[in-house]
Amino acid sequence: MNSKPLIIAHRGASRYAPENTIPAFKLAEEMKADFIELDIHMTKDGELVVLHPFLIRNMKIKELTLKEIQSIDVGILLSFNHKSTYIPTLKEVLKETNLKVNIEIKGNERIYPGIVDKLLKVIEKYPIERFIFSSFDFNILRELKKKREGAVVEGLCFSPYGKSFPSFLSGVNPYFVFVNKRMVDRMHSRKLTVKPYTVNNPFIMKRFIKMGVDGIFTDIPDVLRKVIESQKH
Ligand code: G3P
Ligand code: CA
């Protein structure tokens, strides 16, 4: 489907800055990624926050307030260069960057009741074309698609084999080790895009570009850009 895959900065340029933080997203923008990918959860007081795990310091995100979550310095965990880096809200990320955003919804309505409505409220002032929504939970994507016309939703999976992909999905994002040419062609024949995650090896990037994948999730968007450029000649 695509000779030049989209560069999707996984949790931002997360090799170089604390994942899912404003510095990682700004860096991805500087590195000319096409998209940033981020993970959202909902706090006890109903704010959408951007981070990967369900727990922080052994406490559930849904049992913490935004104030409590933002009192944690996540930068210090990685290196002193990023001291004073905090877990951002989705609103902050959308304001601070101009890039397109792949929003992965972590959890579901059982864990975070009302998360779809909350998400739609946060994004309502932006064009829907700025976003792709993804989740391992296809039910939450079905609900989102029903509530917001024009939303592009993509199904995440570990292995795509033996899995069914409902027709409301625009694409499938599998763990990269399960992606091969036959699988890509089969998905394309069903009008589904294929974007493997998370690829940080330039040789594997090259292989996927040749297979015609539509996008690649990577922690090193600068490297993927170079690989894509080098494939042009
Ligand atoms: O969207 C691709 C990737 O982010 C899915 O896995 O665990 O990194 O959120 P994970
Ligand atoms: Ca993710």
Side-chain angles (χ1 to χ4, degrees), residues 65 80 85 144 147 162 208 214 231:
T65 63
F80 285 109
T85 305
L144 193 147
K147 289 185 166 171
F208 285 146
D214 305 275
Q231 297 285 90

Side-chain angles (χ1 to χ4, degrees), residues 10-11 37 39 52 102 104 106 134 136 156 173 197-198 217:
H10 180 244
R11 310 180 195 172
E37 184 268 354
D39 306 288
H52 186 259
N102 180 147
E104 181 188 342
K106 290 292 188 194
S134 61
F136 285 97
L156 276 160
N173 303 340
Y197 69 90
T198 297
F217 293 87

Side-chain angles (χ1 to χ4, degrees), residues 51 57 108:
L51 79 163
R57 291 190 174 153
N108 50 38

Side-chain angles (χ1 to χ4, degrees), residues 3-120:
S3 58
K4 190 172 163 287
L6 293 171
I7 300 170
I8 309 160
H10 180 244
R11 310 180 195 172
S14 55
R15 176 71 64 87
Y16 311 110
E19 65 179 37
N20 277 323
T21 64
I22 303 284
F25 297 133
K26 290 209 158 161
L27 208 50
E29 200 163 4
E30 277 168 36
M31 291 174 173
K32 298 190 168 40
D34 297 300
F35 271 83
I36 49 173
E37 184 268 354
L38 53 80
D39 306 288
I40 60 162
H41 295 261
M42 195 160 79
T43 64
K44 189 177 166 185
D45 46 349
E47 289 288 339
L48 296 185
V49 283
V50 177
L51 79 163
H52 186 259
F54 284 83
L55 298 175
I56 189 150
R57 291 190 174 153
N58 279 329
M59 289 171 293
K60 291 182 181 158
I61 305 303
K62 66 174 191 172
E63 289 169 1
L64 294 168
T65 63
L66 178 63
K67 198 168 168 213
E68 285 165 335
I69 284 172
Q70 291 196 324
S71 69
I72 298 164
D73 187 345
V74 285
I76 209 161
L77 302 175
L78 189 83
S79 84
F80 285 109
N81 289 343
H82 294 96
K83 204 165 173 253
S84 305
T85 305
Y86 301 98
I87 293 168
T89 60
L90 179 60
K91 273 185 216 151
E92 285 166 341
V93 175
L94 298 182
K95 213 161 73 184
E96 292 285 333
T97 65
N98 296 307
L99 278 181
K100 292 188 166 191
V101 190
N102 180 147
I103 299 177
E104 181 188 342
I105 307 166
K106 290 292 188 194
N108 50 38
E109 285 280 339
R110 192 175 45 78
I111 301 172
Y112 299 123
I115 192 170
V116 169
D117 288 339
K118 185 62 79 170
L119 174 58
L120 293 175

